[in-house]
Amino acid sequence: MTTIFNREQLISTLSGVKTWDVIIIGGGATGLGLAVDSATRGYKTLLLEQVDYAKGTSSRSTKLVHGGVRYLAQGNIDLVREALHERGLLEKNAPHLVKNQSFVIPNYRWWEGIYYTIGLKAYDFLAGKLSLGKSTHVNKSQTVERLATIRQKGLYGGVVYKDGQFDDSRLAINLAQTAIEQGATLLNHFKVTDLVQDASGQITGVEAKDTETDLKHTFEANLVINATGVFSDDILKMQKADAKKSIVPSQGVHLVFDKSFLPGDDAIMIPKTDDGRVLFAVPWHDKVLVGTTDTNLDDHSLEPQAQEQEIEFILRTFNNYLSKPVKRSDVRSIYAGLRPLAAPKDDSEKTKEISRSHKIIVSDSGLLTITGGKWTTYRRMAEDTIDKAISLKRLPKKECQTKDLAIHGAMPTTERDNHMYIYGTDQEAIKSLITDDASLGEKLHPRLPFLKAEVVWAVRYEMARTVEDVLARRVRALFLDADAARSMAAEVAAIIAKELHRDDAWKLQQIDQFTTLAGHYCIDGNTVSV
């Protein structure tokens, strides 16, 4: 059975295109947004991702679609207004993935209620007609009713406000599907190894390698866009070995706990921690996600590791607000992601003060690089980048089409008790797989809701190629319960092997690789001490 998402079919169409209008390097939020924008404008579009969609930063967020309350406190009104507008568009265009989430700021000083109520009224106002609801002040008993495990000693009350919450890698997969449906060609596990330049130094395409077969390809393009996040400098150095550093990776760590530590539907927002950061505790897929940190790193990698002091900071801060303290042994999963922040001009800038707004770099070689930004503004980043290419006469002028474009799977979702809601309109097709083969209705692990049918679906229709692709980014097992995910590896490898006609050696290698990886998401000593 062949679908438009079939890898072999996508690869077979490559030879039919002599010159692409746009080649995008990187399959995270930014690259995928660009692919959708470019394809819907009618440009011949190719996206190449070295590992898997959202493998890096884009699967490791706090799962919020938000304006950024802290940017408002910093006076960055334009960034907040833009992000709140984009939040509203995303809720409209991907309602199966974006949820209207209530947040409570608990107040332990008498003046905080007034202070945060006024600030959040400004947040409401900036959202305009795309507001998710008004913020309100609640008294102590109402706060405790909403947050059953909150520390009550010294509690005055709380302020409730609305923001968006989503599943980051599921949105990435749906964007990849949307781009392909719109005529783009997207390939994961396809690594760009070099940029092709003509005699005058202008970039005319890319060299790339299919990492599954090791076959090398050369692709010509009128425009190449570098959308590789924390890997941007690696691509910039391909065109100019002494290219100046443009990115400082800032690490954000999250810990995941069982829902019993925050049993209601509300999230907690802690506006000022010991070192001035913001910390969130957010209900997510029947767990609670707590983070994040902001740690400057000198280097970047595909699998960043949590530092011991980051773990201690989150545990200590979260426990300051709980009547039922969490322990290290309560951590179900731990993950770290790297934000691609623009390199500061001097050492005086702290990462939490470096702007999260995006930046487009135009190289002399004609390469366009888009850096910074955040998940919430991915669509606007893509629009700005393609518009920039048009203004540079690199593409014929065509208007952006994505403001009202429904993303693959889009359907209104109010019923979120069944974990399958995230598939939106694809739910029925997954159910039909189970109708055809009842064994696919079996769960992969007793502690998590995911079914065998979801693995088959991920391989056939969501371009999953490995155990990690499935358990990290199609179903979120690795991020929800790393030990349970480790236990699922053999079963998942067997299902994928059957779908992709892989042998026993491949299965064993997959199980071994994933077991090692999952160890880094467990708290039992697999963290990095600094």
Side-chain angles (χ1 to χ4, degrees):
M1 179 198 57
T2 304
T3 74
I4 59 167
F5 307 118
N6 177 275
R7 183 182 184 84
E8 286 69 30
Q9 182 171 313
L10 287 164
I11 289 173
S12 73
T13 62
L14 294 173
S15 57
V17 180
K18 186 179 184 310
T19 305
W20 299 87
D21 293 320
V22 181
I23 291 180
I24 298 152
I25 310 172
T30 309
L32 293 165
L34 278 162
V36 172
D37 187 292
S38 176
T40 50
R41 295 199 208 205
Y43 304 128
K44 276 185 297 199
T45 306
L46 173 65
L47 179 147
L48 302 171
E49 159 56 40
Q50 64 171 335
V51 184
D52 184 31
Y53 307 116
K55 158 69 180 174
T57 309
S58 299
S59 59
R60 301 157 191 261
S61 72
T62 314
K63 324 303 178 200
L64 301 182
V65 184
H66 63 144
V69 171
R70 70 164 165 160
Y71 309 132
L72 187 62
Q74 292 167 4
N76 199 337
I77 304 292
D78 289 343
L79 177 66
V80 174
R81 185 188 285 114
E82 176 183 280
L84 287 172
H85 180 73
E86 291 300 321
R87 179 192 72 177
L89 293 182
L90 190 53
E91 192 208 20
K92 190 162 56 78
N93 296 333
H96 61 305
L97 291 177
V98 179
K99 176 186 172 216
N100 188 335
Q101 175 68 53
S102 296
F103 290 76
V104 180
I105 303 178
N107 304 153
Y108 288 93
R109 296 182 183 88
W110 65 268
W111 52 267
E112 286 180 338
I114 304 162
Y115 176 76
Y116 292 119
T117 301
I118 292 168
L120 287 161
K121 288 297 175 198
Y123 197 63
D124 295 344
F125 174 74
L126 289 172
K129 63 179 185 295
L130 291 173
S131 169
L132 298 182
K134 289 189 166 70
S135 55
T136 52
H137 184 264
V138 289
N139 62 28
K140 180 176 178 175
S141 64
Q142 290 169 314
T143 303
V144 173
E145 196 178 313
R146 282 174 170 270
L147 306 173
T149 51
I150 196 78
R151 174 171 65 83
Q152 295 188 37
K153 189 182 176 190
L155 182 70
Y156 280 89
V159 179
V160 181
Y161 73 98
K162 299 281 193 178
D163 233 329
Q165 191 247 18
F166 79 131
D167 187 315
D168 47 14
S169 73
R170 289 299 317 169
L171 178 55
I173 302 310
N174 287 162
L175 285 171
Q177 291 168 305
T178 305
I180 291 170
E181 287 165 342
Q182 295 291 334
T185 300
L186 279 74
L187 290 163
N188 53 352
H189 302 282
F190 221 102
K191 183 178 172 64
V192 170
T193 53
D194 208 352
L195 300 172
V196 180
Q197 292 174 267
D198 65 15
S200 65
Q202 290 300 296
I203 286 167
T204 58
V206 302
E207 289 177 7
K209 183 175 80 169
D210 179 344
T211 59
E212 289 193 2
T213 62
D214 281 343
L215 283 174
K216 295 187 169 77
H217 299 255
T218 301
F219 302 111
E220 283 183 29
N222 295 323
L223 173 69
V224 177
I225 303 176
N226 173 14
T228 55
V230 291
F231 294 89
S232 293
D233 287 341
D234 297 358
I235 304 295
L236 286 165
K237 282 187 167 67
M238 285 178 186
Q239 50 135 22
K240 191 180 176 200
D242 60 347
K244 205 159 127 274
K245 189 176 178 182
S246 69
I247 294 292
V248 173
S250 161
Q251 178 157 290
V253 167
H254 294 82
L255 306 183
V256 179
F257 300 93
D258 283 335
K259 192 78 173 68
S260 59
F261 292 100
L262 190 65
D265 294 327
D266 296 280
I268 299 174
M269 193 269 220
I270 299 164
K272 223 171 180 55
T273 58
D274 295 348
D275 65 353
R277 286 192 291 244
V278 170
L279 197 80
F280 292 98
V282 187
W284 188 62
H285 292 323
D286 210 33
K287 294 276 187 274
V288 57
L289 182 76
V290 186
T292 183
T293 57
D294 216 335
T295 309
N296 258 7
L297 298 183
D298 293 327
D299 211 358
H300 56 274
S301 73
L302 279 166
E303 280 297 335
Q305 302 292 299
Q307 297 176 3
E308 187 54 43
Q309 71 265 28
E310 292 178 296
I311 296 166
E312 287 302 324
F313 165 78
I314 294 173
L315 289 170
R316 184 177 68 247
T317 307
F318 192 33
N319 277 336
N320 282 345
Y321 290 81
L322 293 182
S323 58
K324 173 189 175 182
V326 293
K327 307 183 293 296
R328 287 180 74 91
S329 57
D330 295 318
V331 176
R332 288 292 190 189
S333 183
I334 174 167
Y335 67 90
L338 301 178
R339 306 174 192 90
L341 302 187
K345 293 175 183 65
D346 57 55
D347 294 338
S348 66
E349 279 186 297
K350 295 177 188 167
T351 67
K352 58 180 174 284
E353 289 160 7
I354 296 171
S355 173
R356 293 287 197 264
S357 51
H358 54 279
K359 187 164 90 177
I360 300 165
I361 301 165
V362 182
S363 300
D364 293 341
S365 65
L367 179 72
L368 252 58
T369 299
I370 168 80
T371 64
K374 55 184 190 162
W375 245 123
T376 307
T377 55
Y378 85 90
R379 191 209 64 81
R380 178 62 187 271
M381 291 164 70
E383 180 182 354
D384 288 353
T385 307
I386 298 294
D387 283 351
K388 180 72 172 176
I390 291 168
S391 74
L392 294 168
K393 306 281 192 285
R394 303 294 300 282
L395 292 169
K397 185 169 170 50
K398 294 179 183 180
E399 294 302 318
C400 177
Q401 303 293 319
T402 57
K403 283 190 181 70
D404 302 306
L405 181 75
I407 290 160
H408 182 98
M411 64 178 277
T413 305
T414 50
E415 178 54 62
R416 292 177 189 266
D417 291 339
N418 181 342
H419 80 282
M420 299 286 282
Y421 75 84
I422 58 159
Y423 292 100
T425 54
D426 286 338
Q427 284 177 78
E428 291 308 314
I430 298 172
K431 284 177 191 165
S432 73
L433 291 177
I434 299 168
T435 305
D436 294 342
D437 179 352
S439 72
L440 294 179
E442 294 167 11
K443 286 170 73 166
L444 292 163
H445 193 280
R447 281 209 303 266
L448 291 171
F450 308 117
L451 310 175
K452 292 178 184 178
E454 295 175 76
V455 182
V456 173
W457 183 263
V459 176
R460 289 184 190 171
Y461 300 98
E462 295 182 343
M463 297 159 284
R465 309 294 293 176
T466 68
V467 170
E468 183 197 333
D469 290 355
V470 172
L471 289 178
R473 292 172 292 277
R474 304 309 185 280
V475 306
R476 306 309 305 271
L478 182 62
F479 288 79
L480 295 168
D481 189 330
D483 189 53
R486 210 162 27 184
S487 303
M488 297 178 191
E491 184 104 62
V492 171
I495 297 170
I496 300 172
K498 186 180 172 189
E499 287 292 315
L500 297 180
H501 312 294
R502 302 290 197 237
D503 60 17
D504 287 347
W506 181 89
K507 276 194 286 192
L508 288 171
Q509 183 189 37
Q510 281 290 305
I511 294 163
D512 186 47
Q513 285 176 354
F514 185 77
T515 303
T516 302
L517 175 76
H520 297 307
Y521 289 70
C522 297
I523 197 114
D524 51 11
N526 287 300
T527 57
V528 177
S529 298
V530 174

